[in-house]
Amino acid sequence: MSEKKTKRIISADDGSEVKAGSRKRAAKQAAPVGNATGLRIGAVALWVAAIAFEVVAILILVGTINWTFMSATAQLIIALVLDLICVVIGSLLWKKANRIKPASEKNKLTFWLWNNMGVIVAAFAFIPFVILALTDKKADKKTKAIAVVAAVIALLIAGVASYDFDPVSQEDLAAATSAITDDVYWSTFGKVYHTTQDCHALNVSEELTYGTVEQAIAANRTRLCAYCAKRDAITGVVTDKNVDDIVLDDADVIPDAVQEPAEAAPASAE
Ligand SMILES: [Zn+2]
């Protein structure tokens, strides 16, 4: 039997701790979830910087830039790493902005392109360099080979880091906020939000954050726990799984209630 642990409950508004069950506030008083426009400006600025580092890498490759205290290979690697860092941080800001102010999914193509803008930027931030390196005839062959391999690896890392694996649409957010008006709860490492702090899936969590659904989604808990959806009969909201195929939030510990197979309590009918 797993004892239910006492949880710390932290407000998403200001990080203050409250005693379980003692908190009450109207959802409309919640702190704003963040400034999507500011995040997008930051993302675009970083992406511009990434392209600038790519240009620097190209200039190093063709010999226009050459700091004599360092080998050309080392200079290229540094430029490509800075390029990569700017793409990835820009994409993280972009994805965060999309959690706060999601795009409509009415047009699937524009929805995909908007959510994965970072992947497109990653392509622009490395592929021209790779093409130029492969077609350049002047640069040292070994330097070129190392630079191409480094740029392709950076492209793959940037692409995966920029891809939005759990996109949220304007429609998803509207459905969630209209179906759930009370506060929700999420754990430190969990990927979903819950309608109650007493949810099975949270039995092993020592610290929970509570806030509005908007705050949960802004904190990248993009889906509702399937248990909570089933228990509260909430429909039309994106859940982590089909309710028949439930997994736990803190996945490696399975509460007793779930371990018991359905047959364990045979109905003594008749
Ligand atoms: Zn739950």
Side-chain angles (χ1 to χ4, degrees):
M1 290 298 285
S2 60
E3 281 281 302
K4 192 179 279 183
K5 286 183 181 147
T6 313
K7 299 178 175 68
R8 294 180 69 218
I9 314 276
I10 307 292
S11 166
D13 287 340
D14 52 12
S16 64
E17 187 175 348
V18 290
K19 284 214 177 86
S22 71
R23 168 209 51 80
K24 274 281 166 263
R25 71 158 160 72
K28 60 168 91 73
Q29 290 169 353
V33 288
N35 179 349
T37 307
L39 290 167
R40 290 194 203 287
I41 292 169
V44 171
L46 282 161
W47 287 341
V48 169
I51 301 295
F53 282 121
E54 182 186 30
V55 171
V56 170
I58 290 169
L59 295 178
I60 293 167
L61 185 78
V62 299
T64 309
I65 294 178
N66 186 11
W67 297 296
T68 46
F69 57 89
M70 208 187 272
S71 73
T73 311
Q75 294 172 39
L76 281 169
I77 299 285
I78 290 171
L80 291 172
V81 166
L82 291 171
D83 182 351
L84 174 63
I85 290 170
C86 290
V87 173
V88 171
I89 298 176
S91 296
L92 295 180
L93 297 183
W94 187 260
K95 286 195 276 187
K96 173 90 179 154
N98 289 341
R99 298 287 179 268
I100 294 167
K101 206 167 186 300
S104 169
E105 63 182 338
K106 279 195 188 112
N107 183 326
K108 298 284 178 201
L109 177 65
T110 54
F111 182 63
W112 190 93
L113 290 173
W114 183 256
N115 287 323
N116 295 299
M117 196 75 83
V119 178
I120 298 162
V121 172
F124 278 107
F126 295 103
I127 292 175
F129 174 83
V130 171
I131 292 170
L132 278 168
L134 290 174
T135 52
D136 179 85
K137 298 211 164 54
K138 279 188 287 177
D140 170 61
K141 269 196 179 140
K142 193 180 160 206
T143 303
K144 254 173 37 176
I146 293 171
V148 167
V149 170
V152 169
I153 291 170
L155 170 64
L156 294 176
I157 294 171
V160 171
S162 300
Y163 185 76
D164 195 341
F165 290 93
D166 290 308
V168 177
S169 70
Q170 202 180 302
E171 291 79 6
D172 292 338
L173 181 62
T177 52
S178 72
I180 306 164
T181 50
D182 286 335
D183 279 337
V184 295
Y185 300 83
W186 60 95
S187 63
T188 312
F189 301 108
K191 294 201 161 53
V192 299
Y193 58 87
H194 305 262
T195 52
T196 169
Q197 66 198 54
D198 298 321
C199 176
H200 286 322
L202 293 171
N203 274 359
V204 293
S205 305
E206 291 181 2
E207 186 173 303
L208 299 181
T209 305
Y210 74 90
T212 60
V213 173
E214 289 98 326
Q215 287 174 325
I217 291 174
N220 210 25
R221 273 64 173 190
T222 54
R223 293 157 292 156
L224 169 64
C225 158
Y227 272 135
C228 290
K230 190 174 191 180
R231 184 187 53 244
D232 299 346
I234 298 170
T235 55
V237 175
V238 182
T239 59
D240 54 337
K241 285 270 169 181
N242 294 323
V243 283
D244 300 327
D245 185 21
I246 281 170
V247 289
L248 296 176
D249 201 355
D250 288 295
D252 45 1
V253 187
I254 300 175
D256 304 332
V258 188
Q259 280 175 330
E260 288 166 19
E263 299 79 20
S268 51
E270 283 177 287

